[in-house]
Amino acid sequence: MELKYYSPDWLSLEEYEQFVAQYHGAATSHHLLRTKWYMDHFDFHILLAIVDGKVVGQSCAYKTTAIIHNVPVDFWWSVDSFVLKQYRGLGIGKKLQAQLHKDWPNFSSIWYSRINGGIKRKLGAQPILASRLTYYPINSFFSILFGALFKRKKLSLPVIIKNKYRRLHASSHNRFTEKNITAAQLLSLASDIKESLSTAADFYIDRSNEYLSAKYNSNPSLSGFDIILLYDQHLEKNVGLYILTKPFSRQTFSIELNVCAILDYFIFDDSVKYKDIIGSALLRASSYDNVDGVLSFGKPVGLLNITYPKDGLQLLSTTPIGGSHVIANPYISFIDQDMEQMLP
């Protein structure tokens, strides 16, 4: 077996597309579009596994900048790894991962399979932080909770009060004026976003203009979302911002739910708390029909929510973290690594 980084000098684009089609089938067009997006906007590398002259697997890496305790470091995310079915069980995936761990500093993943996570640990990656994904109910809570525990499906219970659970996350949203802004206008707030993250988090991926533009202007995995700016009428200034998807269906707790997701959120003033962001997002999401709830990364707030996994999603990385540099307040969101692909 040979490992080789993709280049059109030795493998034509047509041949690469044929290889991808063998794995992704009907979804090939989207995955090729996403690969082009990586190439256009990031320092991106495709490592290919070749057996008897045939490409049989790949694993990729792209570079971002992580800010860890206010220090910027090159941070490489692991993305788009697969091995053709007939070549699995031969250690090809492990060899691909081993090469990427060797070639790229601070090589990292937060969304991975159990098997892939085991391989990464054996190759030297260690958990440097954990971030929890939280579901905040609007119309469905106990029906989901009982369904997940007993039947692995949402129970059908009559809706007596519409949007009843949203009221448990009351916020001071009445003092805010909400304004939808464009992705271009978002870029004008980059300095406010940077200050927000540097104040609140000891780990985050730098939201540079280039990063925000790539993720929100041309991302093939994101389509319907609103960028909501919060303006405080009493303070007469912008105090926060969050980005909320339109409703979509996805498996949550092994149950098909109709949800919205908070892609990013930033707090610009101490008068605003995370619970205010959640309250505002729940109010906005409840304006759509039949939305079960809202998903968000971050420490859970309020009385009623479901957080999973119990111990959080562990970010595995070769980044040396220890001693007094333990990460206690990380900021992770759906647009980090490649987690926006979770959102149809």
Side-chain angles (χ1 to χ4, degrees):
M1 187 194 74
E2 179 185 9
L3 299 180
K4 199 171 182 179
Y5 283 101
Y6 170 77
S7 168
D9 294 338
W10 67 270
L11 185 73
S12 71
L13 181 59
E14 183 180 1
E15 289 172 317
Y16 176 72
E17 291 175 351
Q18 289 172 355
F19 155 66
V20 173
Q22 291 179 70
Y23 182 80
H24 285 295
T28 297
S29 294
H30 173 75
H31 285 277
L32 290 174
L33 187 63
R34 189 168 175 85
T35 297
K36 185 179 185 304
W37 172 73
Y38 279 127
M39 290 179 169
D40 289 344
H41 296 282
F42 299 96
D43 188 354
F44 175 69
H45 301 271
I46 306 170
L47 182 63
L48 298 173
I50 305 159
V51 175
D52 297 329
K54 178 181 179 181
V55 178
V56 301
Q58 77 166 36
S59 194
C60 307
Y62 80 95
K63 187 174 76 170
T64 58
T65 299
I67 310 298
I68 305 176
H69 295 289
N70 292 319
V71 177
V73 298
D74 290 346
F75 203 76
W76 291 83
W77 285 118
S78 172
V79 294
D80 289 4
S81 299
F82 63 86
V83 175
L84 297 182
K85 186 175 181 180
Q86 59 269 39
Y87 290 91
R88 294 175 193 167
L90 302 176
I92 294 173
K94 183 175 181 179
K95 291 176 181 177
L96 284 164
Q97 285 291 306
Q99 190 64 48
L100 292 179
H101 278 72
K102 177 182 176 182
D103 290 347
W104 309 113
N106 306 318
F107 191 64
S108 306
S109 301
I110 193 170
W111 196 258
Y112 46 82
S113 68
R114 180 176 297 181
I115 293 174
N116 200 0
I119 291 173
K120 293 175 185 298
R121 285 180 170 88
K122 289 179 180 178
L123 293 170
Q126 297 295 324
I128 64 170
L129 62 85
S131 184
R132 290 179 289 182
L133 188 58
T134 302
Y135 168 81
Y136 296 96
I138 292 176
N139 283 306
S140 302
F141 180 71
F142 290 105
S143 59
I144 294 171
L145 188 62
F146 294 148
L149 289 174
F150 299 111
K151 292 189 176 181
R152 290 285 179 178
K153 65 180 181 179
K154 179 182 171 186
L155 298 183
S156 295
L157 298 178
V159 176
I160 300 173
I161 304 175
K162 186 178 180 182
N163 302 332
K164 53 186 175 295
Y165 298 116
R166 187 202 74 208
R167 292 166 172 79
L168 296 178
H169 296 279
S171 74
S172 52
H173 62 265
N174 287 334
R175 78 169 194 266
F176 302 141
T177 299
E178 296 185 359
K179 178 183 178 182
N180 278 38
I181 64 173
T182 65
Q185 290 172 312
L186 174 68
L187 301 185
S188 70
L189 297 168
S191 60
D192 293 320
I193 290 170
K194 185 178 182 65
E195 183 177 351
S196 167
L197 291 174
S198 64
T199 301
D202 50 13
F203 173 96
Y204 61 92
I205 300 301
D206 185 26
R207 264 51 176 176
S208 65
N209 274 17
E210 294 78 14
Y211 187 84
L212 290 171
S213 179
K215 288 289 184 172
Y216 289 116
N217 269 329
S218 56
N219 193 333
S221 296
L222 286 181
S223 53
F225 59 85
D226 291 317
I227 306 173
I228 301 101
L229 186 64
L230 302 179
Y231 179 82
D232 190 301
Q233 302 166 37
H234 301 300
L235 297 178
E236 298 184 343
K237 66 177 182 178
N238 298 324
V239 294
L241 178 150
Y242 66 94
I243 303 171
L244 186 72
T245 68
K246 306 292 188 184
F248 61 93
S249 295
R250 81 177 297 271
Q251 288 283 322
T252 308
F253 324 112
S254 299
I255 301 168
E256 191 77 16
L257 297 180
N258 195 37
V259 294
C260 296
I262 297 175
L263 298 174
D264 256 329
Y265 67 89
F266 309 107
I267 294 172
F268 301 150
D269 188 86
D270 290 341
S271 64
V272 179
K273 306 301 180 186
Y274 179 47
K275 67 179 181 66
D276 297 321
I277 298 289
I278 295 298
S280 179
L282 288 169
L283 183 65
R284 180 169 286 253
S286 66
S287 67
Y288 298 108
D289 291 332
N290 303 316
V291 174
D292 291 303
V294 168
L295 294 173
S296 180
F297 278 96
K299 295 178 180 179
V301 296
L303 298 175
L304 208 62
N305 56 66
I306 303 173
T307 299
Y308 66 102
K310 181 181 178 182
D311 298 323
L313 294 169
Q314 292 187 331
L315 194 159
L316 299 179
S317 180
T318 57
T319 306
I321 299 290
S324 61
H325 296 291
V326 171
I327 295 170
N329 297 298
Y331 178 85
I332 292 289
S333 84
F334 277 110
I335 68 163
D336 290 320
Q337 193 181 358
D338 58 352
M339 291 191 291
E340 64 265 27
Q341 293 187 90
M342 298 163 54
L343 313 175

